[in-house]
PDB file of all heavy atoms in Angstrom:
ATOM      1  N   ALA Z 333      41.851 -17.783  60.349  1.00 98.00           N
ATOM      2  CA  ALA Z 333      42.782 -18.647  61.087  1.00 98.00           C
ATOM      3  C   ALA Z 333      44.210 -18.113  60.976  1.00 98.00           C
ATOM      4  O   ALA Z 333      44.945 -18.067  61.975  1.00 98.00           O
ATOM      5  CB  ALA Z 333      42.690 -20.075  60.553  1.00 98.00           C
ATOM      6  N   ASP Z 334      44.583 -17.667  59.776  1.00 97.00           N
ATOM      7  CA  ASP Z 334      45.951 -17.162  59.582  1.00 97.00           C
ATOM      8  C   ASP Z 334      46.232 -15.965  60.481  1.00 97.00           C
ATOM      9  O   ASP Z 334      47.270 -15.884  61.123  1.00 97.00           O
ATOM     10  CB  ASP Z 334      46.176 -16.759  58.118  1.00 97.00           C
ATOM     11  CG  ASP Z 334      46.380 -17.967  57.217  1.00 97.00           C
ATOM     12  OD1 ASP Z 334      46.605 -19.076  57.746  1.00 97.00           O
ATOM     13  OD2 ASP Z 334      46.299 -17.801  55.988  1.00 97.00           O
ATOM     14  N   CYS Z 335      45.313 -15.022  60.522  1.00 95.00           N
ATOM     15  CA  CYS Z 335      45.656 -13.845  61.329  1.00 95.00           C
ATOM     16  C   CYS Z 335      45.462 -14.117  62.816  1.00 95.00           C
ATOM     17  O   CYS Z 335      46.146 -13.499  63.643  1.00 95.00           O
ATOM     18  CB  CYS Z 335      45.049 -12.546  60.824  1.00 95.00           C
ATOM     19  SG  CYS Z 335      43.329 -12.389  60.880  1.00 95.00           S
ATOM     20  N   SER Z 336      44.624 -15.059  63.168  1.00 97.00           N
ATOM     21  CA  SER Z 336      44.538 -15.443  64.591  1.00 97.00           C
ATOM     22  C   SER Z 336      45.840 -16.114  65.029  1.00 97.00           C
ATOM     23  O   SER Z 336      46.385 -15.822  66.109  1.00 97.00           O
ATOM     24  CB  SER Z 336      43.362 -16.397  64.806  1.00 97.00           C
ATOM     25  OG  SER Z 336      42.145 -15.758  64.513  1.00 97.00           O
ATOM     26  N   LYS Z 337      46.350 -17.009  64.187  1.00 96.00           N
ATOM     27  CA  LYS Z 337      47.595 -17.711  64.531  1.00 96.00           C
ATOM     28  C   LYS Z 337      48.783 -16.749  64.577  1.00 96.00           C
ATOM     29  O   LYS Z 337      49.706 -16.931  65.358  1.00 96.00           O
ATOM     30  CB  LYS Z 337      47.864 -18.828  63.507  1.00 96.00           C
ATOM     31  CG  LYS Z 337      46.939 -20.038  63.701  1.00 96.00           C
ATOM     32  CD  LYS Z 337      47.386 -21.227  62.865  1.00 96.00           C
ATOM     33  CE  LYS Z 337      46.839 -21.162  61.449  1.00 96.00           C
ATOM     34  NZ  LYS Z 337      47.131 -22.378  60.668  1.00 96.00           N
ATOM     35  N   ALA Z 338      48.737 -15.706  63.737  1.00 95.00           N
ATOM     36  CA  ALA Z 338      49.864 -14.770  63.666  1.00 95.00           C
ATOM     37  C   ALA Z 338      50.020 -13.951  64.943  1.00 95.00           C
ATOM     38  O   ALA Z 338      51.075 -13.350  65.180  1.00 95.00           O
ATOM     39  CB  ALA Z 338      49.689 -13.839  62.466  1.00 95.00           C
ATOM     40  N   ILE Z 339      48.977 -13.914  65.755  1.00 94.00           N
ATOM     41  CA  ILE Z 339      49.065 -13.124  66.991  1.00 94.00           C
ATOM     42  C   ILE Z 339      50.175 -13.660  67.897  1.00 94.00           C
ATOM     43  O   ILE Z 339      50.857 -12.896  68.580  1.00 94.00           O
ATOM     44  CB  ILE Z 339      47.696 -13.094  67.723  1.00 94.00           C
ATOM     45  CG1 ILE Z 339      46.659 -12.393  66.831  1.00 94.00           C
ATOM     46  CG2 ILE Z 339      47.794 -12.392  69.076  1.00 94.00           C
ATOM     47  CD1 ILE Z 339      45.247 -12.421  67.367  1.00 94.00           C
ATOM     48  N   GLN Z 340      50.372 -14.962  67.857  1.00 85.00           N
ATOM     49  CA  GLN Z 340      51.464 -15.566  68.640  1.00 85.00           C
ATOM     50  C   GLN Z 340      52.805 -14.922  68.307  1.00 85.00           C
ATOM     51  O   GLN Z 340      53.622 -14.667  69.174  1.00 85.00           O
ATOM     52  CB  GLN Z 340      51.552 -17.067  68.328  1.00 85.00           C
ATOM     53  CG  GLN Z 340      50.513 -17.893  69.070  1.00 85.00           C
ATOM     54  CD  GLN Z 340      50.746 -19.379  68.861  1.00 85.00           C
ATOM     55  OE1 GLN Z 340      50.715 -19.831  67.729  1.00 85.00           O
ATOM     56  NE2 GLN Z 340      50.999 -20.106  69.948  1.00 85.00           N
ATOM     57  N   ASP Z 341      53.028 -14.682  67.004  1.00 82.00           N
ATOM     58  CA  ASP Z 341      54.307 -14.103  66.583  1.00 82.00           C
ATOM     59  C   ASP Z 341      54.339 -12.590  66.751  1.00 82.00           C
ATOM     60  O   ASP Z 341      55.325 -12.013  67.180  1.00 82.00           O
ATOM     61  CB  ASP Z 341      54.557 -14.409  65.092  1.00 82.00           C
ATOM     62  CG  ASP Z 341      54.516 -15.900  64.828  1.00 82.00           C
ATOM     63  OD1 ASP Z 341      54.919 -16.667  65.735  1.00 82.00           O
ATOM     64  OD2 ASP Z 341      54.080 -16.297  63.736  1.00 82.00           O
ATOM     65  N   GLU Z 342      53.231 -11.958  66.381  1.00 78.00           N
ATOM     66  CA  GLU Z 342      53.250 -10.495  66.300  1.00 78.00           C
ATOM     67  C   GLU Z 342      52.739  -9.818  67.555  1.00 78.00           C
ATOM     68  O   GLU Z 342      52.812  -8.605  67.687  1.00 78.00           O
ATOM     69  CB  GLU Z 342      52.441 -10.047  65.074  1.00 78.00           C
ATOM     70  CG  GLU Z 342      53.086 -10.604  63.810  1.00 78.00           C
ATOM     71  CD  GLU Z 342      52.324 -10.274  62.554  1.00 78.00           C
ATOM     72  OE1 GLU Z 342      51.568  -9.299  62.561  1.00 78.00           O
ATOM     73  OE2 GLU Z 342      52.507 -11.015  61.568  1.00 78.00           O
ATOM     74  N   GLY Z 343      52.171 -10.590  68.419  1.00 88.00           N
ATOM     75  CA  GLY Z 343      51.772 -10.043  69.703  1.00 88.00           C
ATOM     76  C   GLY Z 343      50.416  -9.381  69.726  1.00 88.00           C
ATOM     77  O   GLY Z 343      49.761  -9.329  70.758  1.00 88.00           O
ATOM     78  N   LYS Z 344      49.950  -8.892  68.546  1.00 93.00           N
ATOM     79  CA  LYS Z 344      48.702  -8.123  68.504  1.00 93.00           C
ATOM     80  C   LYS Z 344      47.805  -8.625  67.374  1.00 93.00           C
ATOM     81  O   LYS Z 344      48.313  -9.044  66.332  1.00 93.00           O
ATOM     82  CB  LYS Z 344      49.024  -6.639  68.233  1.00 93.00           C
ATOM     83  CG  LYS Z 344      49.683  -5.927  69.405  1.00 93.00           C
ATOM     84  CD  LYS Z 344      48.652  -5.561  70.458  1.00 93.00           C
ATOM     85  CE  LYS Z 344      49.345  -5.103  71.753  1.00 93.00           C
ATOM     86  NZ  LYS Z 344      48.429  -5.192  72.915  1.00 93.00           N
ATOM     87  N   PRO Z 345      46.497  -8.528  67.549  1.00 95.00           N
ATOM     88  CA  PRO Z 345      45.585  -8.867  66.448  1.00 95.00           C
ATOM     89  C   PRO Z 345      45.758  -7.902  65.267  1.00 95.00           C
ATOM     90  O   PRO Z 345      46.236  -6.773  65.452  1.00 95.00           O
ATOM     91  CB  PRO Z 345      44.196  -8.699  67.070  1.00 95.00           C
ATOM     92  CG  PRO Z 345      44.403  -8.716  68.544  1.00 95.00           C
ATOM     93  CD  PRO Z 345      45.771  -8.152  68.776  1.00 95.00           C
ATOM     94  N   GLU Z 346      45.388  -8.350  64.113  1.00 95.00           N
ATOM     95  CA  GLU Z 346      45.381  -7.515  62.906  1.00 95.00           C
ATOM     96  C   GLU Z 346      44.272  -6.465  63.054  1.00 95.00           C
ATOM     97  O   GLU Z 346      43.088  -6.811  63.171  1.00 95.00           O
ATOM     98  CB  GLU Z 346      45.133  -8.419  61.701  1.00 95.00           C
ATOM     99  CG  GLU Z 346      44.897  -7.715  60.394  1.00 95.00           C
ATOM    100  CD  GLU Z 346      46.038  -6.822  59.999  1.00 95.00           C
ATOM    101  OE1 GLU Z 346      47.120  -7.342  59.650  1.00 95.00           O
ATOM    102  OE2 GLU Z 346      45.839  -5.585  60.079  1.00 95.00           O
ATOM    103  N   LYS Z 347      44.656  -5.177  63.029  1.00 96.00           N
ATOM    104  CA  LYS Z 347      43.675  -4.109  63.269  1.00 96.00           C
ATOM    105  C   LYS Z 347      42.732  -3.867  62.098  1.00 96.00           C
ATOM    106  O   LYS Z 347      41.655  -3.280  62.264  1.00 96.00           O
ATOM    107  CB  LYS Z 347      44.410  -2.797  63.576  1.00 96.00           C
ATOM    108  CG  LYS Z 347      44.845  -2.683  65.026  1.00 96.00           C
ATOM    109  CD  LYS Z 347      45.223  -1.246  65.365  1.00 96.00           C
ATOM    110  CE  LYS Z 347      45.630  -1.146  66.825  1.00 96.00           C
ATOM    111  NZ  LYS Z 347      44.737  -0.326  67.627  1.00 96.00           N
ATOM    112  N   HIS Z 348      43.176  -4.283  60.905  1.00 97.00           N
ATOM    113  CA  HIS Z 348      42.364  -4.015  59.713  1.00 97.00           C
ATOM    114  C   HIS Z 348      40.915  -4.485  59.874  1.00 97.00           C
ATOM    115  O   HIS Z 348      39.973  -3.741  59.570  1.00 97.00           O
ATOM    116  CB  HIS Z 348      42.994  -4.711  58.501  1.00 97.00           C
ATOM    117  CG  HIS Z 348      42.179  -4.625  57.246  1.00 97.00           C
ATOM    118  ND1 HIS Z 348      41.986  -3.446  56.561  1.00 97.00           N
ATOM    119  CD2 HIS Z 348      41.477  -5.572  56.554  1.00 97.00           C
ATOM    120  CE1 HIS Z 348      41.225  -3.676  55.501  1.00 97.00           C
ATOM    121  NE2 HIS Z 348      40.907  -4.953  55.473  1.00 97.00           N
ATOM    122  N   TRP Z 349      40.742  -5.708  60.381  1.00 98.00           N
ATOM    123  CA  TRP Z 349      39.395  -6.281  60.412  1.00 98.00           C
ATOM    124  C   TRP Z 349      38.457  -5.568  61.378  1.00 98.00           C
ATOM    125  O   TRP Z 349      37.344  -5.189  60.984  1.00 98.00           O
ATOM    126  CB  TRP Z 349      39.467  -7.787  60.674  1.00 98.00           C
ATOM    127  CG  TRP Z 349      40.316  -8.474  59.647  1.00 98.00           C
ATOM    128  CD1 TRP Z 349      41.579  -8.973  59.822  1.00 98.00           C
ATOM    129  CD2 TRP Z 349      40.016  -8.668  58.253  1.00 98.00           C
ATOM    130  NE1 TRP Z 349      42.075  -9.474  58.640  1.00 98.00           N
ATOM    131  CE2 TRP Z 349      41.133  -9.308  57.655  1.00 98.00           C
ATOM    132  CE3 TRP Z 349      38.910  -8.363  57.456  1.00 98.00           C
ATOM    133  CZ2 TRP Z 349      41.172  -9.660  56.312  1.00 98.00           C
ATOM    134  CZ3 TRP Z 349      38.947  -8.712  56.111  1.00 98.00           C
ATOM    135  CH2 TRP Z 349      40.068  -9.351  55.550  1.00 98.00           C
ATOM    136  N   PRO Z 350      38.854  -5.360  62.642  1.00 98.00           N
ATOM    137  CA  PRO Z 350      37.936  -4.582  63.500  1.00 98.00           C
ATOM    138  C   PRO Z 350      37.739  -3.153  63.005  1.00 98.00           C
ATOM    139  O   PRO Z 350      36.646  -2.581  63.158  1.00 98.00           O
ATOM    140  CB  PRO Z 350      38.601  -4.614  64.883  1.00 98.00           C
ATOM    141  CG  PRO Z 350      39.944  -5.231  64.703  1.00 98.00           C
ATOM    142  CD  PRO Z 350      39.961  -5.953  63.401  1.00 98.00           C
ATOM    143  N   THR Z 351      38.760  -2.575  62.383  1.00 98.00           N
ATOM    144  CA  THR Z 351      38.620  -1.198  61.892  1.00 98.00           C
ATOM    145  C   THR Z 351      37.554  -1.113  60.809  1.00 98.00           C
ATOM    146  O   THR Z 351      36.665  -0.251  60.861  1.00 98.00           O
ATOM    147  CB  THR Z 351      39.965  -0.681  61.338  1.00 98.00           C
ATOM    148  OG1 THR Z 351      40.932  -0.731  62.381  1.00 98.00           O
ATOM    149  CG2 THR Z 351      39.841   0.740  60.820  1.00 98.00           C
ATOM    150  N   ILE Z 352      37.592  -2.018  59.828  1.00 98.00           N
ATOM    151  CA  ILE Z 352      36.591  -1.918  58.756  1.00 98.00           C
ATOM    152  C   ILE Z 352      35.209  -2.357  59.260  1.00 98.00           C
ATOM    153  O   ILE Z 352      34.187  -1.872  58.769  1.00 98.00           O
ATOM    154  CB  ILE Z 352      36.998  -2.693  57.477  1.00 98.00           C
ATOM    155  CG1 ILE Z 352      37.082  -4.198  57.701  1.00 98.00           C
ATOM    156  CG2 ILE Z 352      38.308  -2.155  56.927  1.00 98.00           C
ATOM    157  CD1 ILE Z 352      37.316  -4.989  56.415  1.00 98.00           C
ATOM    158  N   ALA Z 353      35.189  -3.233  60.264  1.00 98.00           N
ATOM    159  CA  ALA Z 353      33.890  -3.592  60.863  1.00 98.00           C
ATOM    160  C   ALA Z 353      33.263  -2.361  61.516  1.00 98.00           C
ATOM    161  O   ALA Z 353      32.070  -2.101  61.371  1.00 98.00           O
ATOM    162  CB  ALA Z 353      34.069  -4.706  61.882  1.00 98.00           C
ATOM    163  N   MET Z 354      34.093  -1.596  62.206  1.00 98.00           N
ATOM    164  CA  MET Z 354      33.590  -0.406  62.895  1.00 98.00           C
ATOM    165  C   MET Z 354      33.087   0.636  61.894  1.00 98.00           C
ATOM    166  O   MET Z 354      32.016   1.224  62.068  1.00 98.00           O
ATOM    167  CB  MET Z 354      34.711   0.174  63.777  1.00 98.00           C
ATOM    168  CG  MET Z 354      34.329   1.375  64.612  1.00 98.00           C
ATOM    169  SD  MET Z 354      34.420   2.963  63.718  1.00 98.00           S
ATOM    170  CE  MET Z 354      36.194   3.082  63.389  1.00 98.00           C
ATOM    171  N   ILE Z 355      33.859   0.869  60.826  1.00 98.00           N
ATOM    172  CA  ILE Z 355      33.432   1.862  59.828  1.00 98.00           C
ATOM    173  C   ILE Z 355      32.110   1.413  59.187  1.00 98.00           C
ATOM    174  O   ILE Z 355      31.175   2.209  59.027  1.00 98.00           O
ATOM    175  CB  ILE Z 355      34.515   2.064  58.741  1.00 98.00           C
ATOM    176  CG1 ILE Z 355      35.838   2.523  59.367  1.00 98.00           C
ATOM    177  CG2 ILE Z 355      34.055   3.093  57.714  1.00 98.00           C
ATOM    178  CD1 ILE Z 355      36.992   2.646  58.367  1.00 98.00           C
ATOM    179  N   THR Z 356      32.032   0.153  58.837  1.00 98.00           N
ATOM    180  CA  THR Z 356      30.803  -0.368  58.219  1.00 98.00           C
ATOM    181  C   THR Z 356      29.612  -0.181  59.154  1.00 98.00           C
ATOM    182  O   THR Z 356      28.545   0.298  58.764  1.00 98.00           O
ATOM    183  CB  THR Z 356      30.962  -1.865  57.887  1.00 98.00           C
ATOM    184  OG1 THR Z 356      32.180  -2.061  57.166  1.00 98.00           O
ATOM    185  CG2 THR Z 356      29.798  -2.375  57.060  1.00 98.00           C
ATOM    186  N   GLN Z 357      29.819  -0.564  60.422  1.00 98.00           N
ATOM    187  CA  GLN Z 357      28.732  -0.474  61.398  1.00 98.00           C
ATOM    188  C   GLN Z 357      28.267   0.974  61.585  1.00 98.00           C
ATOM    189  O   GLN Z 357      27.062   1.241  61.661  1.00 98.00           O
ATOM    190  CB  GLN Z 357      29.198  -1.026  62.737  1.00 98.00           C
ATOM    191  CG  GLN Z 357      28.109  -1.037  63.800  1.00 98.00           C
ATOM    192  CD  GLN Z 357      27.175  -2.222  63.668  1.00 98.00           C
ATOM    193  OE1 GLN Z 357      27.619  -3.341  63.472  1.00 98.00           O
ATOM    194  NE2 GLN Z 357      25.879  -1.975  63.774  1.00 98.00           N
ATOM    195  N   LYS Z 358      29.214   1.903  61.642  1.00 98.00           N
ATOM    196  CA  LYS Z 358      28.824   3.317  61.840  1.00 98.00           C
ATOM    197  C   LYS Z 358      27.987   3.817  60.672  1.00 98.00           C
ATOM    198  O   LYS Z 358      27.020   4.561  60.866  1.00 98.00           O
ATOM    199  CB  LYS Z 358      30.085   4.179  61.984  1.00 98.00           C
ATOM    200  CG  LYS Z 358      30.613   4.231  63.407  1.00 98.00           C
ATOM    201  CD  LYS Z 358      31.203   5.605  63.676  1.00 98.00           C
ATOM    202  CE  LYS Z 358      31.390   5.843  65.148  1.00 98.00           C
ATOM    203  NZ  LYS Z 358      31.863   7.211  65.441  1.00 98.00           N
ATOM    204  N   VAL Z 359      28.370   3.420  59.468  1.00 98.00           N
ATOM    205  CA  VAL Z 359      27.608   3.862  58.294  1.00 98.00           C
ATOM    206  C   VAL Z 359      26.222   3.207  58.299  1.00 98.00           C
ATOM    207  O   VAL Z 359      25.207   3.876  58.076  1.00 98.00           O
ATOM    208  CB  VAL Z 359      28.374   3.548  56.991  1.00 98.00           C
ATOM    209  CG1 VAL Z 359      27.518   3.866  55.767  1.00 98.00           C
ATOM    210  CG2 VAL Z 359      29.684   4.336  56.946  1.00 98.00           C
ATOM    211  N   VAL Z 360      26.179   1.912  58.589  1.00 98.00           N
ATOM    212  CA  VAL Z 360      24.890   1.210  58.654  1.00 98.00           C
ATOM    213  C   VAL Z 360      23.974   1.865  59.690  1.00 98.00           C
ATOM    214  O   VAL Z 360      22.795   2.136  59.418  1.00 98.00           O
ATOM    215  CB  VAL Z 360      25.113  -0.290  58.983  1.00 98.00           C
ATOM    216  CG1 VAL Z 360      23.830  -0.950  59.460  1.00 98.00           C
ATOM    217  CG2 VAL Z 360      25.669  -1.032  57.763  1.00 98.00           C
ATOM    218  N   CYS Z 361      24.508   2.155  60.860  1.00 98.00           N
ATOM    219  CA  CYS Z 361      23.679   2.762  61.915  1.00 98.00           C
ATOM    220  C   CYS Z 361      23.238   4.177  61.539  1.00 98.00           C
ATOM    221  O   CYS Z 361      22.113   4.580  61.852  1.00 98.00           O
ATOM    222  CB  CYS Z 361      24.430   2.766  63.243  1.00 98.00           C
ATOM    223  SG  CYS Z 361      24.557   1.116  63.957  1.00 98.00           S
ATOM    224  N   ALA Z 362      24.100   4.906  60.849  1.00 98.00           N
ATOM    225  CA  ALA Z 362      23.713   6.254  60.416  1.00 98.00           C
ATOM    226  C   ALA Z 362      22.581   6.180  59.394  1.00 98.00           C
ATOM    227  O   ALA Z 362      21.677   7.016  59.399  1.00 98.00           O
ATOM    228  CB  ALA Z 362      24.921   6.990  59.832  1.00 98.00           C
TER     229      ALA Z 362
END
Side-chain angles (χ1 to χ4, degrees):
Chain Z
D334 283 346
C335 66
S336 296
K337 286 191 275 187
I339 297 174
Q340 280 187 300
D341 304 327
E342 298 177 23
K344 289 282 169 200
E346 172 58 70
K347 277 195 179 245
H348 174 69
W349 303 106
T351 301
I352 65 173
M354 183 276 295
I355 301 176
T356 310
Q357 183 81 45
K358 274 215 164 184
V359 174
V360 163
C361 288

